Every structure is written in C-alpha cells, then in structure tokens.
Amino acid sequence: MGSLPLFPEQASTIAPEVDHLLYYLLTVAVFFTLLIFGAIFYFAIRYRRRSERELPHVIHGGLTLEVLWSVIPFGLTMVMFSWGASIFFTESRPPADALQIYAVGKQWMWKLQHLEGQREINELHIPMGRAVRLTMTSEDVIHSFFVPAFRTKEDVVPGRYSTTWFQPTKPGKYHLFCAEYCGTNHSRMIGWIYVMEPRDYENWVSGGGPTGSLADEGGRLFESLACSNCHKPDGSGRCPNLVGLFGRIVQLSNGSTVVADEAYIRESILQPTAKIVAGYQPLMPTFQGLVTEEGVLELVEYIKSLGPKPGAPAGANVPVVVPHQQ
Amino acid sequence: MKSWLLTKDHKRIAVLYLATVTLFFFLGGAFATLIRVELLTPQGGLVSSETYNKLFTMHGVTMVFFFLIPSIPATLGNFFLPLMIGARDLAFPRINLLSWYLLVIGGLLALFAMLAGGVDTGWTFYTPYSTTYSNSWVIATALGIFVAGFSSILTGLNFIVTVHRMRAPGMTWFRMPLFVWSMYATSLIQVLGTPVLAVTLVLVFCERVFHIGIFDPALGGDPVLFQHLFWFYSHPAVYIMVLPGMGVISEVISVFSRKSVFGYAFVAFSSVAIAVLGFLVWGHHLFVSTQSVYAGMVFSFLSYFVAIPSAIKVFNWTATLYKGSISFATPMLYAFGFIGLFTIGGLTGLFVASLGIDVHVTDTYFVIAHFHYIMVGGTIMAYMAGMHYWWPKMTGRMYPEGWAKLSALVIFLGFNLTFFPQFILGYLGMPRRYHVYPDEFQVLHVLSTAGASVLAVGYLMPMIYFIWSLRYGALAPANPWGATGLEWKTASPPPVHNFDEAPVVTHEAYDYSTVMGEVIEVG
Ligand code: HEM
Ligand SMILES: [Cu+2]
Ligand SMILES: [Cu+2]
C-alpha cells in the first residue's frame, strides 16, 4: 500500500493519441455532468414547494429545445466516433517494416518467439523506437494481450491468428496482462514487457536461440513430420511447391482464390481439406494433434523463408498480407 | 398460504416476485461483499482463485438474471401496469402466475448449481471455456437461466397484450403514463431478444454434452460466434434492465414537481427508439475480439445513436423541474440520485463506444464502473424511488420519512465511493476478473471496498424500515402524493378487482389541476 497512481504511463506512439481523445471525452463529460447537476440543484432550490396548494403553470415542452439538445450532443458524439475510429484504424495497420514476433497464449502463460529463435515465457524484450507486430494465437481458450502503458489490447483466439502492434517510445519495464477471463489462474497470466535501447536489444537478440532461428526450427519440423516427402523443393510429385508461396494468390479447386497468408498456411496444415489447391488431389493428411501451435508458427516461418513473393521488397519477412485487412 | 401460491391476482403475484427478487438481491449482495473483502489485499489471501472466480460469476448471474431483469417489470410493473391503465388484471392472469413459477424454478436450478459446487465461467459464459474447459456446474446454471428466460418472455407477452387490449375507456396511447410506455418498450425487447439467449444456451449445452462442434475450434467451431449471439441478447438486455427505471423516474419527477413531464412524446418515443436501436449495437462488445475493423466502426457509429434518446430523457427530466413545485420527498431524492448517477454512467458509455478508448479500457475496471453506474446507480436507484413512491399504495402504510431520506443519501454517497475509484483503476489498466493484482492498485481497491460497506448499510436500512412499516407505519390515504395516475384513484391497498367502479379517462396524464382542490398558481 502507499502509492496512489492516478494515470498510466505513456510508453508507445499511440498512447498520447488515446490520452488526447480521453481529454476531449473528459471535457465533454465534465461539462454535461456539471450542467445537469447544476440545473437540478438550482431548479430544486429555486422552485422548491412553498405551499401544499401551489400549482405550477403547465409547460408542455418545446420543439426548439428538443432539437437543440438532440443535435448538439449528436455533433459532439460524432467527433468521438471519428476520432476514436481513426486511432483504431491506425492500431489495425502495422507498418510494413515492423519487427515480427509470435505469441501463443495458453492456460496460464504467454509464450513469445522471436524470428532469431529466442523464446520467452511471460516476458518480452523489444527495442525502443521500432514498430513491433505480434501475430498471436491460443492453444486452448480465449486470452487477451493487454499492455496498459501502450494502450493496446487484442484478443488471442484459438483456431485463428490475430495481430496487434505498437511502437515503444520509452525504455522500461511495463505490465503485460491477460485481459480475457480464461479460468482459474487468469489473474496470474501476467508478465513484463522490457523495452530496451536498440543497441542493447541487438546484443540481446544476436545470441539467437539455442537451436537456431525460428525458420531453422521449422525446417527441422518440415523434415521430421515428413512434409518434405510430399512437398519437394523442385515441385516434382503430386504436391504443390511451397517455394514462394507466402503472399501469393492461390487458385483453389472450387474456382475461388485466396491469398497465402499466415492463416491460410496454418489452415493448410491443420485442416488440409478445407481449401484444395487447383489441380491437386486432397491427399494431404491433417496434422491436427501432431504439431503444437508453436510448431505451426515455426512451419509458417519456414515456408515464409522459402522465398518472398516475386517482386516483393527484399529483406524476407515483410508481411505482405495483414490478416486484419480482409 | 395456498391462497397466495395459487393466486391469479396480479397484485399478489407482484408481491411474490418482490419477495423472490429481494432474496436474490441479498444473495448477489453476499457474493459482492466477499469479492470486495477479498480485493482489500493484492495477494488474494481470503479465498482461492477457483472460489474467487465462482464468486464473481455467481454474483453476476444472480444480479443480472434473477434480480435486475425481473426487478422493476415483475414487481412494480405487475402491480401497477393494470392499475395505471384502468384494467382489472393482466390479460392472462394464469400465465402471469406461471411466469413467477418459472422464475422460481430457474432460480432454484441456479441455486442448486451454486450449492453443488458453483460455476466459474463469468456470467458471460464465453466459449470455448464454458463448453470445453470449465469443470463447474455450467449446464445446471445455464438451464436455470434458460427457464427464467421463459418467465421473462411470458411476462413481456402478457404486458404487450394488456396494453393493447385492456386500456380503460378514454385511455388513449398518448394519455398513458410514461411508466406504461417504458414497460411496453421493455416487453418488446423481452419477447424479441430472450429467445436468442435461449437458443445460445441450447447450443452451449449441445457442445458441452454431445461435443457437437459449434464454438470450440478444436471441434471445428467458431468461438467468436458465441459472443455475437450472446451480446445480440445481452446488449438489448441492458435496456431491459434500465428502461423500466426510466419509466419510474418519469412518474416520480412529474408528481414531485407537480408538472407534466416536459416533452412527453419525446420521452415516450425515446423508449421505443432505445428498444429498437438496442438491437443494432451488440458488436461494441467485440471491438478487440478479432472482429473486422470495419465492423468495429459500424458498431461504434450505431452505438452513438442509442446514446441520443437517453440524453433526450435526461434533458427532459431536468427541464420538467423548471418552474415546478419541487418536493423533497424520498422518492424524489432517489430520482435525483438516479439522474446524477445515470448521467455519469451514460457519459462513460460514450467513452467505451469510442474505439480508440475502448481498446484500452475494455475488460478492465473501467467497464465494471460504467455498467454499475447504469445498473446499480441507475436502475436500483429508480427501483428504490418506485418502491418508496408506491409503497403506500401496495401496503396501505407509510414508511418513516426521516430514515428513508437518510437511506437515499447513504446509498448515493456509498455508491460513488465504491465505483468512482474503479474508473481510475480501469484506465490505469487493472483488468476485471482478477483475483490477485499488482500492489500499486491497492489504495483504490481499499477505497472501493470502504464504499461498498457504506452502500451495504444503505441497502439494509430500507429493508428494515419497510418491514417495520408493515405493522407500525402510519395508515396511507388513497392518494398521499397528490398524483394523477389511476392507481391513486382507488383505495390503498387496492381491492382485489382494483376499481370499485370502472374508470373512464377524460384527461391526459399528469394534469394536476384535476386532483387538487383550491390552488395557488405559481410559475
Ligand atoms: C451493491 C454492491 C455491489 C458491489 C460492491 C459489486 C461489486 C462488483 C465487483 C467488484 C465486480 C467485479 C468482479 C470481477 O470481475 O473481478 C462486479 C461485477 C459485476 N457486477 Fe457487481 N457489485 C454490486 C452490485 C451489483 C448489482 C446490483 C448488479 C446488478 C446488475 C451487479 C452486476 C454486476 C455484473 C453483471 C458484474 C460482472 C460479472 C462478471 O464479470 O461476470 N453488481 N461487481
Ligand atoms: Cu486470462
Ligand atoms: Cu452493449
């Protein structure tokens, strides 16, 4: 006990924007609260009943007033709407050069994976000043990735990928909370975000993981799960070549097309029959239960590393497709 | 005893409801007390996390489904809707009794689930936690809510038919008291929305028991679909909980300022507008649930449309006071409390409807504070206003005025001390449904618990003096407040058939010149 914080720290580019919107809302709210409270007090005292027999004149209402007090608040709320929507829009569009990190939630811990191969549990180290894009999924129930100092939150849902991003502006240590109730130890599914000076981060991350990068790890899985027996690098056999798949438009056997993003690759592995590539037979077995969500992410990262979409900017892991955009 | 349990008299059924929902209120209150005591310390020493999770779930389930939804409609509505339109009873008296039994059966099922081991899903039953992962009494609780839902549907139907078919001669739609309008709008939501909740609960049942994949992605389902279905009912349900309160406030403000409600037609239609628009905004509970960005924008936009009719009501109530003859009787004090707290609750609704803010505050104490300002600060204040206003009519006795005024004050202060700190907690980032929490939030939690103790005293006071007044209260005259409604034109308490002579309505509602003798004109 003792400390009494009243306002959260601002540690991301979006945080001051959210707070400015808050100030606007607070101004409107305080104004109307004072107006209503003031009017009630004033009228109640000014027109208090002085005799049991008094009868006020009848006033039925006034159209002008009704219109005024509908239109003015409506105008004020439209500012709230558009301002809030524009922040939300920014929040849903990670910049193209964002640092990619993967998160998997499970009862009751956060598992975070860096492309270089570092794995963290309930801790995330990120560099200051650089946008970070998180692709997240859950192994069991719904969780929610919430960093109050960044003013961002996004649910982490089993069976799909969700994304969020933030650009830290201040080195330090910030709370990470699970914000969606997920069972017994929901309140212990918490951790820390460490925002580091870019140089410190480089040192921290350059060590790599004990078993190499995420894509290396995925490559090994690709072998051990025998994906490589069917998917040959030269495209021979009866299976599609996965080189250059990521970001490409895939023609499906039912005539429709789909962009090969993370979600599509995940689905191809776990529910291969959901979408069949045109010209191929539904021969691929499901890997549901044989590979964890983390394993799937490694495979996704491996397939991404097999080559960018022709014409995409060099530098490999640029997310060409943002799942939120559809 | 038997004459009560088999009664078809809407007034007696209302009293049965009153007893039932009061019991549930105190049960839910006991859970809340334990929650607040637990939150005094950050480490969570009083109960285990499992128990804590059950406590807030059972608190929410009890308060929402077994107290707040039936509260005003089934007690004050049941008692006064027929009286206010000059009818002898509701359209279907037997169905009315049946709906009380359904509420009791549903309540007993839920109670059984609580005693057998409790349920820990949150009152929102989010999937796949509720269908696959929770090891608690989900099915029994859901069944209880399902059965109670039919009580709500039947009551709604009964009210709608009654308003259409049983109005006294001369009681045109625009002569109806505003309480009747609000009950009518509420009934529409109950009849149209509740079946969706029932279907959703059946789907949860199918997945949990038969493992049919609907919501759990491991079975091929979609977990977010549940949230759409749930909030399609539960957002309108917040209006089931608050519209009746608005109706009560319109009556009380008018009587105790002796003026017709300013902008009667606007207030009446805003109830209907809220009922209709309320069905279009459920997606504002899903801003961070991976719903598409554009869906989020549409739901945010529409949410502001629902805010306007509520604002219109607040302005009209305030304007009603202008040049009135304002009495400070207890019901009016509660009504002032309602307007104040509802204003704060409504204004903070504008915060959470704004996408940029909601991403930060959803699933935090900010939301807890927001909906308690509406549901407890709003609806329960209105319920208390209505209980005090109509108590003399229901029982034939007056309550002790001094104690009652004191209770209004204690509740108002206790409420603000309990819930205002939660706005700050929420913006700081304190997530809801947390058993243990970081130390820096403790001071605000302690303030909130201190407020809750004041609030508890405030709620116990009326409980005691109302019961006391049944025996010792002064005898109530037929029309103690000089009110215009038809319910005041019959004895206190009203005879079994309500009116000795069938009433004929010749004036609009709230024409005070008709009930006063010699007058002094003011204003
Ligand atoms: C009277 C004193 C009350 C106190 C002190 C109180 C306290 C609380 C607290 C601390 C929580 C948050 C639990 C958590 O999420 O960790 C909560 C949740 C809630 N309360 Fe109350 N409450 C009170 C009355 C009511 C009433 C009258 C209602 C009726 C509408 C109500 C409805 C709810 C609901 C719906 C929730 C959310 C439950 C959930 O998240 O599943 N509360 N209350
Ligand atoms: Cu959680
Ligand atoms: Cu809502």
Side-chain angles (χ1 to χ4, degrees), chain B residues 60-67 69-70 103 123 145 148 197 230 233:
Chain B
V61 167
T62 313
M63 287 299 198
V64 170
F65 296 109
F66 297 102
F67 170 66
I69 289 180
L103 180 73
W123 75 282
I145 295 171
L197 177 72
F230 179 81
Y233 164 76

Side-chain angles (χ1 to χ4, degrees), chain B residues 25 28-29 31-33 35-36 39 52 55-64 67-68 121-125 241 365 368 371-372 375-376 379-380 415 418-419 422 430-435 445 448-449 451-453 455-456 459:
Chain B
F25 179 68
F31 292 136
T33 309
I35 295 174
R36 282 310 335 163
L39 292 174
Y52 180 82
L55 286 175
F56 72 70
T57 302
M58 298 188 297
H59 167 68
V61 167
T62 313
M63 287 299 198
V64 170
F67 170 66
L68 212 51
T121 57
W123 75 282
T124 45
F125 294 97
M241 296 183 244
Y365 267 76
I368 305 278
F371 71 65
H372 280 83
M375 305 210 291
V376 183
T379 307
I380 297 187
F415 178 85
T418 310
F419 291 104
Q422 297 187 6
M430 166 83 201
R432 71 191 280 200
R433 301 177 175 179
Y434 261 36
H435 174 225
H445 271 305
S448 182
T449 301
S453 357
L455 194 52
Y459 285 135

Side-chain angles (χ1 to χ4, degrees), chain B residues 173-290:
Chain B
W173 283 82
F174 288 100
R175 282 180 183 167
M176 289 194 320
L178 287 165
F179 180 69
V180 178
W181 272 100
S182 79
M183 287 309 340
Y184 184 79
T186 309
S187 304
L188 282 180
I189 312 179
Q190 283 175 305
V191 171
L192 296 176
T194 319
V196 179
L197 177 72
V199 170
T200 312
L201 292 173
V202 170
L203 294 178
V204 166
F205 178 86
C206 290
E207 182 163 293
R208 198 172 159 91
V209 177
F210 304 118
H211 306 288
I212 300 172
I214 301 161
F215 303 124
D216 186 351
L219 302 169
D222 177 354
V224 181
L225 173 65
F226 172 84
Q227 298 178 22
H228 284 282
L229 293 172
F230 179 81
W231 289 110
F232 184 82
Y233 164 76
S234 290
H235 184 82
V238 309
Y239 295 111
I240 297 180
M241 296 183 244
V242 79
L243 275 172
M246 295 170 155
V248 171
I249 296 307
S250 296
E251 299 300 314
V252 170
I253 294 274
S254 169
V255 171
F256 295 96
S257 51
R258 235 173 236 169
K259 276 186 62 204
S260 173
V261 173
F262 195 88
Y264 169 99
F266 287 90
V267 177
F269 279 124
S270 62
S271 288
V272 181
I274 288 175
V276 174
L277 291 170
F279 278 103
L280 304 179
V281 301
W282 77 91
H284 64 207
H285 296 272
L286 282 77
F287 288 154
V288 302
S289 303
T290 72

